[in-house]
Short mmCIF file of all heavy atoms in Angstrom, two decimals:
data_model
loop_
_atom_site.label_atom_id
_atom_site.label_comp_id
_atom_site.label_asym_id
_atom_site.label_seq_id
_atom_site.Cartn_x
_atom_site.Cartn_y
_atom_site.Cartn_z
N ARG A 125 11.94 7.60 -2.92
CA ARG A 125 12.72 8.01 -4.10
C ARG A 125 13.83 6.99 -4.37
O ARG A 125 14.14 6.69 -5.51
CB ARG A 125 13.31 9.41 -3.90
CG ARG A 125 12.29 10.53 -4.01
CD ARG A 125 12.95 11.89 -4.13
NE ARG A 125 11.97 12.96 -4.03
CZ ARG A 125 11.70 13.65 -2.93
NH1 ARG A 125 12.40 13.39 -1.82
NH2 ARG A 125 10.80 14.60 -2.92
N GLN A 126 14.44 6.48 -3.32
CA GLN A 126 15.48 5.47 -3.49
C GLN A 126 14.90 4.21 -4.12
O GLN A 126 15.58 3.52 -4.88
CB GLN A 126 16.12 5.14 -2.14
CG GLN A 126 16.96 6.26 -1.55
CD GLN A 126 17.47 5.92 -0.15
OE1 GLN A 126 17.63 4.75 0.19
NE2 GLN A 126 17.70 6.93 0.66
N ARG A 127 13.64 3.91 -3.83
CA ARG A 127 13.00 2.72 -4.40
C ARG A 127 12.46 3.00 -5.80
O ARG A 127 12.07 2.06 -6.50
CB ARG A 127 11.86 2.28 -3.48
CG ARG A 127 12.35 1.76 -2.15
CD ARG A 127 11.20 1.57 -1.17
NE ARG A 127 10.17 0.71 -1.72
CZ ARG A 127 9.00 0.50 -1.14
NH1 ARG A 127 8.71 1.11 -0.01
NH2 ARG A 127 8.11 -0.31 -1.70
N ASN A 128 12.41 4.26 -6.21
CA ASN A 128 12.04 4.62 -7.58
C ASN A 128 10.64 4.11 -7.95
O ASN A 128 10.44 3.50 -9.00
CB ASN A 128 13.07 4.05 -8.56
CG ASN A 128 13.09 4.82 -9.87
OD1 ASN A 128 12.75 6.00 -9.91
ND2 ASN A 128 13.47 4.16 -10.95
N VAL A 129 9.67 4.38 -7.07
CA VAL A 129 8.33 3.85 -7.28
C VAL A 129 7.50 4.73 -8.21
O VAL A 129 7.75 5.93 -8.35
CB VAL A 129 7.57 3.69 -5.95
CG1 VAL A 129 8.31 2.79 -4.99
CG2 VAL A 129 7.29 5.05 -5.31
N THR A 130 6.53 4.10 -8.87
CA THR A 130 5.49 4.81 -9.62
C THR A 130 4.16 4.42 -8.99
O THR A 130 3.92 3.25 -8.69
CB THR A 130 5.50 4.41 -11.10
OG1 THR A 130 6.77 4.75 -11.67
CG2 THR A 130 4.39 5.14 -11.86
N VAL A 131 3.30 5.41 -8.78
CA VAL A 131 2.02 5.19 -8.12
C VAL A 131 0.90 5.33 -9.15
O VAL A 131 0.88 6.28 -9.95
CB VAL A 131 1.81 6.19 -6.97
CG1 VAL A 131 0.45 5.98 -6.31
CG2 VAL A 131 2.94 6.06 -5.94
N GLY A 132 -0.03 4.40 -9.13
CA GLY A 132 -1.22 4.50 -9.98
C GLY A 132 -2.39 5.01 -9.16
O GLY A 132 -2.67 4.51 -8.08
N LEU A 133 -3.09 6.02 -9.68
CA LEU A 133 -4.27 6.57 -9.03
C LEU A 133 -5.47 6.27 -9.92
O LEU A 133 -5.52 6.74 -11.06
CB LEU A 133 -4.13 8.07 -8.82
CG LEU A 133 -5.29 8.79 -8.13
CD1 LEU A 133 -5.50 8.26 -6.71
CD2 LEU A 133 -5.05 10.30 -8.09
N THR A 134 -6.42 5.49 -9.43
CA THR A 134 -7.55 5.07 -10.25
C THR A 134 -8.83 5.80 -9.83
O THR A 134 -9.10 5.96 -8.64
CB THR A 134 -7.80 3.56 -10.16
OG1 THR A 134 -8.34 3.24 -8.87
CG2 THR A 134 -6.52 2.78 -10.39
N VAL A 135 -9.62 6.24 -10.84
CA VAL A 135 -10.94 6.81 -10.58
C VAL A 135 -11.89 6.35 -11.66
O VAL A 135 -11.49 6.05 -12.79
CB VAL A 135 -10.92 8.36 -10.55
CG1 VAL A 135 -10.24 8.88 -9.31
CG2 VAL A 135 -10.30 8.93 -11.80
N PHE A 136 -13.17 6.31 -11.32
CA PHE A 136 -14.21 5.95 -12.27
C PHE A 136 -15.07 7.19 -12.53
O PHE A 136 -15.69 7.72 -11.61
CB PHE A 136 -15.07 4.81 -11.73
CG PHE A 136 -14.40 3.48 -11.81
CD1 PHE A 136 -13.39 3.14 -10.92
CD2 PHE A 136 -14.77 2.55 -12.78
CE1 PHE A 136 -12.74 1.92 -11.00
CE2 PHE A 136 -14.13 1.32 -12.87
CZ PHE A 136 -13.13 1.00 -11.97
N ALA A 137 -15.06 7.63 -13.79
CA ALA A 137 -15.84 8.79 -14.19
C ALA A 137 -16.87 8.33 -15.22
O ALA A 137 -16.69 8.49 -16.43
CB ALA A 137 -14.94 9.88 -14.77
N ILE A 138 -17.92 7.70 -14.72
CA ILE A 138 -18.95 7.12 -15.58
C ILE A 138 -20.12 8.10 -15.70
O ILE A 138 -20.51 8.74 -14.72
CB ILE A 138 -19.44 5.77 -15.01
CG1 ILE A 138 -18.26 4.84 -14.73
CG2 ILE A 138 -20.44 5.12 -15.96
CD1 ILE A 138 -17.48 4.43 -15.95
N LYS A 139 -20.67 8.18 -16.90
CA LYS A 139 -21.80 9.08 -17.18
C LYS A 139 -21.43 10.51 -16.76
O LYS A 139 -20.36 10.99 -17.08
CB LYS A 139 -23.06 8.57 -16.48
CG LYS A 139 -23.53 7.20 -16.98
CD LYS A 139 -24.83 6.78 -16.33
CE LYS A 139 -25.32 5.45 -16.89
NZ LYS A 139 -26.60 5.02 -16.29
N LYS A 140 -22.35 11.17 -16.02
CA LYS A 140 -22.12 12.58 -15.71
C LYS A 140 -21.00 12.82 -14.70
O LYS A 140 -20.60 13.95 -14.49
CB LYS A 140 -23.41 13.21 -15.19
CG LYS A 140 -24.39 13.61 -16.31
CD LYS A 140 -25.48 14.52 -15.76
CE LYS A 140 -26.36 15.03 -16.89
NZ LYS A 140 -27.41 15.96 -16.39
N TYR A 141 -20.50 11.75 -14.10
CA TYR A 141 -19.41 11.93 -13.14
C TYR A 141 -18.13 12.43 -13.81
O TYR A 141 -17.19 12.83 -13.12
CB TYR A 141 -19.15 10.62 -12.38
CG TYR A 141 -20.08 10.43 -11.21
CD1 TYR A 141 -21.36 9.94 -11.38
CD2 TYR A 141 -19.68 10.77 -9.93
CE1 TYR A 141 -22.22 9.77 -10.31
CE2 TYR A 141 -20.53 10.60 -8.83
CZ TYR A 141 -21.80 10.11 -9.04
OH TYR A 141 -22.65 9.95 -7.97
N VAL A 142 -18.11 12.45 -15.12
CA VAL A 142 -16.95 12.97 -15.84
C VAL A 142 -16.76 14.46 -15.55
O VAL A 142 -15.66 15.00 -15.71
CB VAL A 142 -17.09 12.69 -17.35
CG1 VAL A 142 -18.13 13.61 -17.98
CG2 VAL A 142 -15.75 12.83 -18.05
N VAL A 143 -17.82 15.14 -15.11
CA VAL A 143 -17.71 16.59 -14.84
C VAL A 143 -16.79 16.87 -13.67
O VAL A 143 -16.31 18.00 -13.51
CB VAL A 143 -19.10 17.21 -14.56
CG1 VAL A 143 -20.04 16.99 -15.74
CG2 VAL A 143 -19.71 16.68 -13.28
#
Side-chain angles (χ1 to χ4, degrees):
R125 286 194 189 98
Q126 291 175 27
R127 293 169 55 187
N128 203 27
V129 302
T130 299
V131 178
L133 180 62
T134 71
V135 289
F136 284 75
I138 308 296
K139 297 183 177 181
K140 279 193 174 182
Y141 276 82
V142 74
V143 302

